[in-house]
Amino acid sequence: MTGVETFRALHHDRAPGDPLILPGPWDPPSARTFVAAGFPALAVPSAGVAEALGYEDGETPADEMFAAVARIVRAAGVPVSADLEDGYGLAPKELVERALEAGAVGMNLEDSRPGGILKEPRAHAEWLAEVRTEAGDRLFVNARVDTFLHGGKDPDEAIERALLYRAAGADCIYPIMAPPEHFTALRAETDVPVNAFTRSNGPTPAELGRLGATRITFGPGLLRRSMAALGDIARGLGGA
């Protein structure tokens, strides 16, 4: 199978409580570390790359993001998906071409603009459909639903957006920051894989899987935990 075929297959026929866990590398060393631990695929977080490159989340220039993804892909040797935010203002054809040139097998695309402004869902779905047409079966499209991230509490709004994005050709739906109790309904209503974001103080991946999540990602969480551990090491060296 090709890389994208392998990546797509990893999302299907998973037992409850056994979601696909996709660690988020921010550079080649972290990618190699996750692969050496046995993970079959990775998902690059835009926020993690931004921190590693010295930018605020959402401010990484597109050229630097694609270059970072390419470096991680070369180091990993396993399928790598990339968070490409809201597409950096690129036309669908260019966005797809640049993702493929970087070696990615998939991409996250969010439905809000910088500043937390939700996009009009039907217009966003039309854009996603154009991305799907340009990508064909060469990329796995994970459509992020940002209603909960920006303060929404109505699961029906998230489901409405998810259904539009599924109809546009999304392979997976990512209702970031959704309360765990909503995953069962989101999975049942959309009938596609559902991505859950997890934090160290939240439900475990297995618990999220039993609730309906198909895959688990961590955003910049693993980078921040690594930096916390590095801080402990630094203090142990005699720092202030």
Side-chain angles (χ1 to χ4, degrees):
M1 289 193 292
T2 65
V4 67
E5 289 171 341
T6 298
F7 188 71
R8 187 171 281 113
L10 287 169
H11 290 75
H12 295 282
D13 300 321
R14 304 201 69 88
D18 181 33
L20 173 63
I21 298 175
L22 295 174
W26 53 92
D27 61 8
S30 60
R32 293 190 190 101
T33 298
F34 294 135
V35 172
F39 292 97
L42 306 174
V44 177
S46 62
V49 170
E51 289 191 25
L53 295 178
Y55 293 103
E56 294 296 321
D57 185 20
E59 295 184 0
T60 306
D63 288 349
E64 293 197 43
M65 185 64 193
F66 286 113
V69 172
R71 291 191 294 270
I72 290 168
V73 168
R74 286 196 298 271
V78 299
V80 174
S81 182
D83 178 0
L84 299 181
E85 303 187 29
D86 67 344
Y88 304 107
L90 300 174
K93 181 177 177 61
E94 183 178 359
L95 177 63
V96 167
E97 288 176 349
R98 298 195 69 177
L100 291 170
E101 287 170 2
V105 301
M107 52 186 175
N108 285 4
L109 296 171
E110 58 201 50
D111 66 350
S112 65
R113 297 183 178 88
I117 301 169
L118 287 169
K119 297 181 179 181
E120 198 286 317
R122 285 171 178 77
H124 185 65
E126 291 174 3
W127 181 77
L128 283 175
E130 292 180 42
V131 171
R132 175 85 281 163
T133 297
E134 293 293 343
D137 61 1
R138 297 177 296 168
L139 288 169
F140 185 97
V141 177
N142 187 30
R144 208 176 85 176
V145 178
D146 286 1
T147 53
F148 296 108
L149 177 65
H150 297 307
K153 300 183 183 301
D154 183 0
D156 290 339
E157 181 183 358
I159 289 171
E160 179 183 357
R161 286 176 175 265
L163 289 171
L164 286 168
Y165 305 160
R166 183 198 67 178
D171 296 287
C172 184
I173 301 299
Y174 181 11
I176 187 170
M177 304 302 288
E181 62 268 21
H182 294 322
F183 282 112
T184 301
L186 283 160
R187 180 68 189 279
E189 292 286 344
T190 59
D191 195 32
V192 292
V194 175
N195 189 151
F197 169 75
T198 188
R199 293 173 288 185
S200 59
N201 61 349
T204 67
E207 289 168 341
L208 290 169
R210 285 191 287 272
L211 289 170
T214 312
R215 83 180 207 176
I216 307 295
T217 54
F218 303 84
L222 299 177
L223 166 62
R224 292 171 184 172
R225 289 169 65 181
S226 296
M227 291 301 97
L230 183 59
D232 291 339
I233 293 170
R235 285 186 288 275
L237 297 175

